[in-house]
Amino acid sequence: MPFCPKCRYEYVEGIRKCPDCDVALVDALLEEPQKPKESEKPAELVTVASFVYPVEAEMAKLKLENEGIQSVLSNEVLMRTYGPILQDYLIKLQVREEDAKRALNVLESSHK
């Protein structure tokens, strides 16, 4: 029996497309990803650098990504909209707590 890979509904033979999701049906579904257990809390983020200018923040983020360190920028939209007049709302480069030391080393070595 064919299945919709999006809504996971099962269809009768001969149907090739899910009328609700507008996607092609597949012969078998992949296992549904397991939801994290309630006891598993999301990773804590720590700020490793702050920036006034979005370009500098993006460059630092790319340096970390090139080293395999995932990162996020917070307050970026605010700064792009209002600019450096918002000193209290600097763009923050954040990484998982366990990656902070390595991220700081990468950022410091790029300034030498």
Side-chain angles (χ1 to χ4, degrees):
M1 299 290 236
F3 299 89
C4 173
K6 192 170 180 181
C7 69
R8 306 181 72 78
Y9 190 80
E10 183 178 1
Y11 287 91
V12 296
E13 290 297 328
I15 306 292
R16 299 193 190 308
K17 190 175 184 182
C18 177
D20 295 324
C21 303
D22 199 33
V23 296
L25 301 181
V26 295
D27 292 330
L29 291 174
L30 298 175
E31 282 189 38
E32 195 167 338
Q34 293 184 2
K35 296 179 183 175
K37 297 175 185 172
E38 285 187 32
S39 61
E40 296 176 5
K41 63 178 186 175
E44 292 290 323
L45 296 179
V46 295
T47 301
V48 293
S50 297
F51 303 91
V52 173
Y53 301 105
V55 170
E56 292 175 330
E58 288 291 341
M59 288 173 55
K61 185 176 185 335
L62 284 173
K63 287 176 187 172
L64 295 182
E65 287 176 359
N66 285 337
E67 296 294 324
I69 302 171
Q70 293 179 340
S71 61
V72 295
L73 295 173
S74 65
N75 296 337
E76 182 182 15
V77 173
L78 204 60
M79 289 301 289
R80 285 188 188 276
T81 305
Y82 296 106
I85 60 171
L86 297 175
Q87 294 299 319
D88 292 338
Y89 295 98
L90 294 174
I91 300 169
K92 296 176 183 163
L93 179 59
Q94 298 180 313
V95 298
R96 291 183 304 213
E97 195 170 19
E98 60 266 21
D99 294 333
K101 186 175 180 180
R102 192 166 142 238
L104 287 169
N105 288 337
V106 168
L107 295 173
E108 287 173 7
S109 69
S110 66
H111 288 337
K112 293 180 181 179

